[in-house]
Amino acid sequence: MATYVNNLRLKEIATGDESGTWGTSTNTNLELIGEALGIGTEAITTNADTHTTTVADGSADAGRAMYLKYTGTLDSACTITIGPNTMKRVQIIENATSGSQNIIISQGSGANVTIANGKVAIVQLDGAGAGAAVLDVLTDLQLSDSLTLNGPTLTIGDATAEDTKIVFDGNAQDYYVGLDDSTDDLVIGLGSAVGTTPGISIDENQFVTMPKKVTASTSANISQVAITSSSNAVAWDARAAANAYHVTTENTTFSAPSNAVEGAIISVEIAQGGTARTIAWNTVFEFAASTAPTITATANKTDILAFRYNGSVWQEIGRVQNLAQT
């Protein structure tokens, strides 16, 4: 009696069987081998949570294809069980379903592989029977030479709570570029583990921290940032607007700068508009002789003041007044 226990479910004719019909069975097997090397498409029932793909014994079946595309419309993730659970093979599987849902490829009670909507995975079916597992073939992939990406996007990570990184394995020293999930910061650092000796950190506000010395071969430019007055008060973020300018629109008071860091230096250009306004200062600003300056009260004139934070107050370190704006 013929059996179909091989990994492609081809007919294996028993000794003495099918006298005179070997050609027909062999041709069918050859066609099925060709099918296994091709592309198959299988539709999932609309909104199904589970689906079974069982490769047919000795007859055409999309599930036999090396590249298997799943279609259909889903409203939740769908677990797909590929059988028989003794079949050992590698398949390329595409989630071409509609509805923006994952498909989960399974074979038995062992591990499975989740394929996001619109994505393709290469999986290994281990064929271990009831406990069969599906594994991602590209896990821990090692390439011995260059890799070229012709597309516009390389995505690292799957939005789960974990660090993701690219490691540069040097002869004497490693470096990494990674996302530190604990702080949601993009980090460039020394070593191979994210968080080890960070050199540059960028947070969600795009603020950059560099704990070591920074050397500029020409010059370092700090862009000028406008700060405005509202309800007769000027809010000043020392980190976001270290080089600030303020065009007067009302009599106002400069509030205590936020994000103060000991040793930080900030400056502000105060430009009077067509109508001169008065300027007052929060007590955190310390001026020479503990006396705040009188800002030039002339339309279209400019004063420039600079401060350094000593950990307690902002000490004035520079003042130029009564400058022409043009």
Side-chain angles (χ1 to χ4, degrees), residues 171-257:
N171 182 36
Q173 181 60 60
D174 297 342
Y175 292 87
Y176 67 86
V177 178
L179 175 67
D180 186 341
D181 182 68
S182 64
T183 57
D184 279 335
D185 287 356
L186 178 66
V187 183
I188 300 175
L190 199 62
S192 59
V194 174
T196 303
T197 319
I200 301 175
S201 298
I202 306 173
D203 70 11
E204 65 273 17
N205 297 310
Q206 298 184 23
F207 292 135
V208 180
T209 300
M210 292 179 283
K212 300 294 184 179
K213 181 179 70 173
V214 178
T215 300
S217 59
T218 53
S219 63
N221 297 320
I222 302 177
S223 298
Q224 187 172 248
V225 178
I227 52 177
T228 58
S229 178
S230 177
S231 301
N232 304 105
V234 175
W236 190 356
D237 185 334
R239 180 168 57 178
N243 180 15
Y245 72 94
H246 172 69
V247 177
T248 61
T249 57
E250 61 181 352
N251 297 333
T252 192
T253 298
F254 273 70
S255 303

Side-chain angles (χ1 to χ4, degrees), residues 297-315:
T298 305
N300 304 313
K301 288 289 188 176
T302 289
D303 292 352
I304 300 175
L305 295 90
F307 304 89
R308 180 185 182 277
Y309 190 62
N310 72 353
S312 177
V313 295
W314 288 96
Q315 297 171 319

Side-chain angles (χ1 to χ4, degrees), residues 11 216 263:
K11 179 188 282 189

